[in-house]
Amino acid sequence: MRRASWQEYQKEIADNKYYYARSCIRQNFFPGSERAFLDILTNDLGVDIFDDPLHTSCTGIGYHSDVVPLETIMTVVARQFSLMAEAGYENFISSCITSFGIYNEVLATWEEFPETEERTRRYLREATGRELVKPRSIAHTSDIMFHHRHSIARRAKRRLVNLYTGESLRVVEHIGCHYAKIFPKSGIGGSEFPYVLAGMIEAWGGDVVDYPERRHCCGFGFRNYLVQANRGSSIANSHKKLESMAPYKPDFIVANCPGCAMFLDKWQYAISEMDGTTYGANGRGIPVLTYEEMAGLVLGYDPWELGMQFHQVDVEPLLDKLGVEYNPDAKYLGRDGKLIGRPRAVAVNGCGVELGLRR
Amino acid sequence: MLTEDVRLREGLKACMNCGVCTAVCPAAEFYDYDPRQIVAIVQRRDDREIEQLLRSETIWYCGECMSCRPRCPRGNTPGYVIQALRTLSQRLGYFVESEKGRQQLALKRLIGDNILRTGYCLTPRNILPELHPEQGAVWEWIYENDESIYGRFSECYGKEGAGALRKIDDESLAEISRIFEVSGGKAFYDTIEQHSERKAREMGYDGATEEYMMHTYTYNSENHY
Ligand code: SF4
Ligand code: SF4
């Protein structure tokens, strides 16, 4: 019954020739993931994908903070679409869940209220001289990874299996609200049974953990995080999720949205600093991965080339389970192998144990 | 004025007050907040009640996660209704009458102005560790060594070209700026500044200064739960 529900929502995903729109959040916190996405598609899978220097932010964080008006974001989105067409592409893919929601919302609003599309065309022409051409397809970058999951599995250097026990790793997947809650038909599996990450996990040998708060928001809530005075609400929602998943002992979390990946990682740090609670094994946090990092490890990429040193919760316990060989000394090197010091040790990585900070 | 917003037309048809939206709402879980009630007030079309809403704290609690959208049995989207209310509250200058509403100035300056300056909503240099202690030790290390660390992943960190955190070229930034001009984005920013200026003086500040902005960014009366 449940599986059948997952199958109900299928969407067409183009096989090739993608126009890539980068994400503000992913560039800041997971620049290695964006690079890995391009490397995997281009080098491993031989797909044509265009990384355009001319596009900008979709302004989605400003829109959902209610400072960028709807008419403005529509015109910014129209500019991105026209850049895509000018470059000779028609399959638009976005590296961010917030943007993905925005692109879908704008297209749906133009459809429902044609006068808004007319107005946007006018604004775009007046501001930039460009003509709006709508994309043939819109996908999130995880849809693309899902679409190619079996090709990735065929090239896999390792599977999501615990080297010591031979058992599949237990993986919590977090989809991100704006992937399918706004437009269920635009996400693989819809809003109740999103299958986009679960499909990758299964194809690569892991076990998907089902837990009560699986669909709950990570807590970002735009202004609820972006303004310091409101952050209690953001951490409280992450806390609710972490408490709910911990009894299922996940080996790692994989997130669809760069914001969610960052919050589920950083709030574990904050919670451990506030009251000593950690949610993983041996008094440490649960590593939180992006799907590009998960795919990269499966394909045998070096974890530091994937940018996993950007995480606050150390990923080494997971790397050990997977049998990934890595050089601990290379983790915190800067560009061209330069020594630049290392972050200070913190409780979420097990450093409070000796100090008696853990409850 | 509210009904001119397409998000209101899309987000509210006929609400039957079932409360499903409130049951799934992450903001309702931790704030004294009830999207069902907001939808009910807007549905009654009582101008006086709506004006009260526009001046209130309650319209600022929603996180725009849209969890309410797929669950509403009538196909409504309370999150869209909130967006329409917030837009109007700012256009009319009512947002400065609530503590949470006043925060719009901080959002305009921290996110909004950054878009026009850099072409991005956020950039590493504006995630200051002292304003973001929750970002932790690794972020401090990245912040202090940004060129070297991002340089490992992008050929053009802070420079023009294709890649992560590239500097957006001047012509593209000028286009974004003209888009904001033509589509009303700049006027909206100015509205936020003007009403904040008025309110700041009323509150005894020397205008909408950095000090007033930081007050809106950090102050929490703890009266929201
Ligand atoms: S779920 Fe829909 S019908 Fe029910 S109270 Fe909320 S908006 Fe109204
Ligand atoms: S969009 Fe707002 S009202 Fe709807 S569930 Fe999310 S926080 Fe609640």
Side-chain angles (χ1 to χ4, degrees):
Chain A
M1 151 65 195
R2 210 169 61 190
R3 279 306 154 88
S5 312
W6 285 18
Q7 304 293 331
E8 261 171 44
Y9 293 90
Q10 291 289 349
K11 69 177 208 180
E12 288 294 320
I13 297 170
D15 296 323
N16 206 338
K17 294 197 178 303
Y18 308 116
Y19 180 91
Y20 185 55
R22 288 178 180 272
S23 147
C24 295
I25 304 183
R26 204 182 287 282
Q27 291 180 63
N28 274 270
F29 296 105
F30 305 101
S33 291
E34 284 204 336
R35 195 179 68 181
F37 182 82
L38 294 174
D39 285 349
I40 291 171
L41 259 73
T42 317
N43 304 338
D44 294 88
L45 304 173
V47 164
D48 172 8
I49 177 165
F50 181 55
D51 183 12
D52 188 353
L54 296 182
H55 84 275
T56 62
S57 164
C58 73
T59 71
I61 296 177
Y63 174 66
H64 282 298
S65 304
D66 307 278
V67 298
V68 172
L70 180 61
E71 297 76 14
T72 302
I73 194 167
M74 278 185 172
T75 316
V76 173
V77 164
R79 177 178 180 271
Q80 317 271 62
F81 289 160
S82 69
L83 290 173
M84 171 202 69
E86 287 165 26
Y89 288 79
E90 46 186 14
N91 302 311
F92 193 95
I93 64 174
S94 133
S95 164
C96 170
I97 293 291
T98 301
S99 303
F100 178 66
I102 297 285
Y103 294 121
N104 282 304
E105 180 184 335
V106 168
L107 286 168
T109 309
W110 287 343
E111 193 71 32
E112 186 77 13
F113 304 96
E115 69 279 12
T116 60
E117 182 179 332
E118 264 326 296
R119 190 180 55 200
T120 305
R121 283 183 187 278
R122 224 176 40 241
Y123 288 162
L124 182 69
R125 219 173 282 138
E126 197 182 324
T128 71
R130 297 179 195 274
E131 280 304 318
L132 165 62
V133 181
K134 291 197 264 184
R136 198 174 65 162
S137 73
I138 293 266
H140 185 249
T141 40
S142 60
D143 295 335
I144 305 301
M145 208 64 109
F146 172 88
H147 191 63
H148 294 287
R149 70 195 183 284
H150 297 303
S151 312
I152 292 174
R154 281 194 295 277
R155 291 167 174 79
K157 296 277 183 328
R158 64 179 61 85
R159 291 167 59 75
L160 301 175
V161 168
N162 186 324
L163 195 71
Y164 306 112
T165 64
E167 285 173 13
S168 293
L169 292 179
R170 305 174 54 72
V171 190
V172 155
E173 45 85 275
H174 178 77
I175 296 300
C177 294
H178 288 194
Y179 175 69
K181 285 180 182 173
I182 311 185
F183 296 97
K185 295 266 181 216
S186 61
I188 294 159
S191 68
E192 296 298 336
F193 298 104
Y195 189 58
V196 60
L197 296 181
M200 288 182 223
I201 295 163
E202 287 177 2
W204 303 337
D207 260 350
V208 180
V209 174
D210 205 2
Y211 68 105
E213 296 300 344
R214 189 169 169 190
R215 301 283 163 253
H216 197 76
C217 172
C218 73
F220 177 21
F222 300 95
R223 67 188 335 279
N224 288 340
Y225 169 77
L226 295 167
V227 177
Q228 194 175 61
N230 304 344
R231 281 181 200 149
S233 149
S234 183
I235 193 171
N237 277 295
S238 281
H239 179 256
K240 182 177 160 125
K241 272 191 88 76
L242 291 162
E243 289 283 331
S244 173
M245 72 176 74
Y248 298 82
K249 301 198 182 327
D251 293 295
F252 69 98
I253 301 169
V254 61
N256 204 22
C257 170
C260 305
M262 186 268 281
F263 288 115
L264 291 169
D265 180 51
K266 300 291 168 62
W267 285 136
Q268 286 192 71
Y269 157 79
I271 292 168
S272 74
E273 295 290 311
M274 285 161 75
D275 72 358
T277 304
T278 47
Y279 293 100
N282 308 321
R284 290 162 164 258
I286 307 170
V288 188
L289 273 60
T290 66
Y291 50 87
E292 292 101 331
E293 289 168 348
M294 177 168 74
L297 291 179
V298 164
L299 286 167
Y301 283 53
D302 178 82
W304 316 140
E305 290 304 314
L306 287 169
M308 296 177 89
Q309 61 274 46
F310 274 66
H311 299 210
Q312 181 58 64
V313 175
D314 282 346
V315 293
E316 283 84 342
L318 172 67
L319 301 179
D320 294 340
K321 284 181 204 167
L322 280 167
V324 174
E325 282 176 26
Y326 57 90
N327 175 1
D329 298 328
K331 181 173 184 182
Y332 294 117
L333 294 180
R335 184 180 196 153
D336 305 324
K338 210 174 133 223
L339 283 171
I340 50 171
R342 40 198 314 136
R344 69 190 151 75
V346 295
V348 77
N349 291 324
C351 302
V353 183
E354 316 67 38
L355 303 171
L357 291 176
R358 190 129 296 98
R359 77 174 177 194
Chain B
M1 258 173 113
L2 204 52
T3 47
E4 283 164 23
D5 196 313
V6 292
R7 291 167 301 190
L8 191 93
R9 275 142 71 193
E10 177 65 25
L12 176 55
K13 278 114 191 179
C15 165
M16 59 183 183
N17 250 290
C18 65
V20 167
C21 50
T22 303
V24 301
C25 173
E29 193 139 349
F30 299 104
Y31 281 128
D32 178 13
Y33 172 62
D34 184 353
R36 179 192 58 88
Q37 259 179 29
I38 292 182
V39 171
I41 292 172
V42 174
Q43 181 161 266
R44 284 201 288 276
R45 299 270 193 275
D46 177 330
D47 285 349
R48 201 187 47 84
E49 269 190 304
I50 292 174
E51 186 180 320
Q52 259 175 17
L53 211 49
L54 297 177
R55 295 175 184 275
S56 70
E57 300 289 343
T58 189
I59 59 167
W60 301 103
Y61 295 138
C62 162
E64 299 190 11
C65 68
M66 305 301 167
S67 300
C68 46
R69 181 171 157 92
R71 295 278 173 82
C72 170
R74 305 304 297 262
N76 295 330
T77 311
Y80 280 1
V81 175
I82 289 284
Q83 285 182 298
L85 288 166
R86 288 176 175 178
T87 300
L88 189 58
S89 173
Q90 292 173 97
R91 287 202 198 284
L92 298 175
Y94 295 158
F95 69 104
V96 296
E97 303 309 330
S98 67
E99 173 191 323
K100 296 288 185 199
R102 286 193 283 277
Q103 295 169 343
Q104 288 308 101
L105 178 71
L107 290 165
K108 180 262 168 193
R109 291 198 186 159
L110 295 173
I111 309 287
D113 290 349
N114 201 46
I115 295 173
L116 292 179
R117 213 169 31 235
T118 65
Y120 299 111
C121 288
L122 56 147
T123 38
R125 296 313 298 175
N126 72 347
I127 307 171
L128 305 177
E130 60 269 30
L131 299 186
H132 289 274
E134 76 292 342
Q135 286 290 339
V138 171
W139 182 253
E140 287 165 27
W141 170 75
I142 293 169
Y143 186 85
E144 277 154 26
N145 300 286
D146 61 327
E147 286 195 14
S148 185
I149 295 171
Y150 286 104
R152 234 178 122 167
F153 300 95
S154 174
E155 285 307 310
C156 51
Y157 177 66
K159 297 193 286 253
E160 286 186 22
L165 294 168
R166 67 197 189 280
K167 179 183 178 308
I168 293 187
D169 63 289
D170 292 343
E171 184 43 37
S172 295
L173 277 178
E175 285 189 23
I176 292 299
S177 175
R178 286 198 298 274
I179 287 175
F180 269 72
E181 192 78 60
V182 166
S183 63
K186 279 204 184 142
F188 197 73
Y189 281 8
D190 291 344
T191 304
I192 296 174
E193 287 284 348
Q194 282 154 11
H195 291 291
S196 301
E197 172 77 19
R198 168 176 60 79
K199 186 68 189 180
R201 292 193 181 278
E202 212 179 291
M203 289 170 67
Y205 289 88
D206 206 10
T209 53
E210 180 77 11
E211 191 196 355
Y212 171 76
M213 193 272 279
M214 282 310 289
H215 167 77
T216 70
Y217 179 78
T218 52
Y219 178 68
N220 187 331
S221 63
E222 308 284 341
N223 289 327
H224 307 281
Y225 312 99

